[in-house]
Amino acid sequence: MIDLAENYRNVNDRIRAAEVDAGREPGSVQLVAVGKIHPASLIRGLAACGQRAFAENFVQEAIGKQQELEDLQIEWHFIGSIQSNKTRQIASNFSWVHSVDRFKIAVRLNEQRPTDFSPLNICLQLNLQEEETKSGLSAKSALELLDQVRNFERIRVRGFMIVPKPVSDPLEQRAIFAEVKHLLEQANGLGHTLDTLSMGMTDDLEQAVAEGATHVRIGTALFGPRPLK
Ligand SMILES: *Cc1c(COP(=O)(O)O)cnc(C)c1O
């Protein structure tokens, strides 16, 4: 049996310690709990500990859980790869989408976000290490996409998201997060108003917080290893 309350405490302690080490304001990093492949009952358990932001990677699975957890006040984040035939469901069932990686998807989310909802918060997913198996934008194409969606009214581009190549050296982990931070500063220097760096997972959250992460996406440290799908 996993002890959700203890895991929750440990993860929050790690985040607080990383904030202090980085000289950052306590509470400046938001924990987004990643529930993919885990049952809705675990999400309910963590919500009972006080967690409010939850992320999912698969649309069908997410919507099933949302229905099961309808009675809770959860802020839902989508972090999975996006097929264009799923954008309508994503636009109407989530507050945040961290994984926008092309213009067409941004257009569809903007068109499909219900008008009685607040604008959808978006992050552009980066792939700065040019990994062929991973989706995400290069620095250059991310800056181009920012310009292309500048006047969209139903989505609000908040910043960047990255899932770096897994490496164990903390300095290597930090180096890639530093690149993401520099890209955000570059974009803001060009007149954008980005405020979000979605980076840091179970194995590298300290390095991400050291480089300015505002949202860490944590699964394993909260819920334990994921069951086989
Ligand atoms: C699964 C997943 C996470 C959580 O990873 P852990 O290592 O389990 O903390 C974070 N972000 C994305 C995009 C994921 O797919």
Side-chain angles (χ1 to χ4, degrees), residues 32 34 36 55 57 79-80 98-99 125 161-163 200-203 216-222 224 226:
V32 180
V34 179
K36 63 165 176 275
N57 293 60
I79 61 172
H98 295 231
S99 43
Q125 182 169 354
M161 185 271 245
I162 194 161
V163 182
M201 312 187 351
T202 291
D203 290 332
V216 292
R217 309 176 312 272
I218 308 296
T220 309
L222 291 167
R226 283 177 279 280

Side-chain angles (χ1 to χ4, degrees), residues 28-44:
S28 54
V29 178
Q30 214 201 315
L31 170 60
V32 180
V34 179
K36 63 165 176 275
I37 317 184
H38 292 295
S41 56
L42 284 189
I43 294 173
R44 183 176 291 283

Side-chain angles (χ1 to χ4, degrees), residues 40-86:
S41 56
L42 284 189
I43 294 173
R44 183 176 291 283
L46 197 67
C49 298
Q51 178 62 20
R52 211 174 84 81
F54 288 88
E56 291 289 333
N57 293 60
F58 308 104
V59 176
Q60 250 21 63
E61 179 188 336
I63 287 175
K65 288 179 188 172
Q66 289 172 346
Q67 284 165 356
E68 229 174 303
L69 300 167
E70 223 169 24
D71 57 307
L72 301 178
Q73 295 294 318
I74 288 178
E75 178 184 86
W76 290 102
H77 294 240
F78 190 78
I79 61 172
S81 64
I82 305 177
Q83 293 165 279
S84 46
N85 64 357
K86 295 285 167 57

Side-chain angles (χ1 to χ4, degrees), residues 5-21 31 205-206 209 222:
E6 186 185 335
N7 290 353
Y8 188 56
R9 226 177 7 254
N10 288 340
V11 168
N12 278 304
D13 287 349
R14 280 178 66 184
I15 294 171
R16 291 298 94 83
E19 286 168 341
V20 170
D21 283 349
L31 170 60
L205 86 82
E206 284 81 3
V209 170
L222 291 167

Side-chain angles (χ1 to χ4, degrees), residues 88-206:
R88 186 175 298 281
Q89 284 173 299
I90 293 172
S92 31
N93 290 286
F94 292 85
S95 302
W96 282 77
V97 180
H98 295 231
S99 43
V100 174
D101 64 353
R102 55 200 193 276
F103 180 64
K104 180 182 174 189
I105 296 297
V107 169
R108 292 175 67 92
L109 291 173
N110 185 59
E111 283 172 0
Q112 295 169 344
R113 178 67 166 174
T115 48
D116 54 334
F117 287 18
S118 56
L120 184 61
N121 296 295
I122 299 284
C123 293
L124 303 185
Q125 182 169 354
L126 301 176
N127 179 355
L128 300 179
Q129 295 155 300
E130 292 171 12
E131 290 175 275
E132 287 188 6
T133 55
K134 225 174 251 173
S135 48
L137 296 150
S138 67
K140 181 167 171 283
S141 46
L143 292 174
E144 285 167 5
L145 184 49
L146 281 176
D147 283 333
Q148 289 177 303
V149 304
R150 203 169 198 144
N151 298 319
F152 284 17
E153 291 189 343
R154 306 300 306 141
I155 61 173
R156 201 142 86 80
V157 185
R158 300 289 299 269
F160 298 127
M161 185 271 245
I162 194 161
V163 182
K165 206 185 278 188
V167 288
S168 51
D169 176 8
L171 289 178
E172 269 184 71
Q173 291 172 338
R174 253 187 95 150
I176 188 78
F177 294 137
E179 272 187 57
V180 180
K181 181 173 76 175
H182 289 141
L183 187 63
L184 181 127
E185 286 164 356
Q186 193 185 344
N188 285 345
L190 294 166
H192 296 285
T193 52
L194 307 182
D195 61 6
T196 299
L197 289 172
S198 170
M199 56 191 199
M201 312 187 351
T202 291
D203 290 332
D204 56 14
L205 86 82
E206 284 81 3

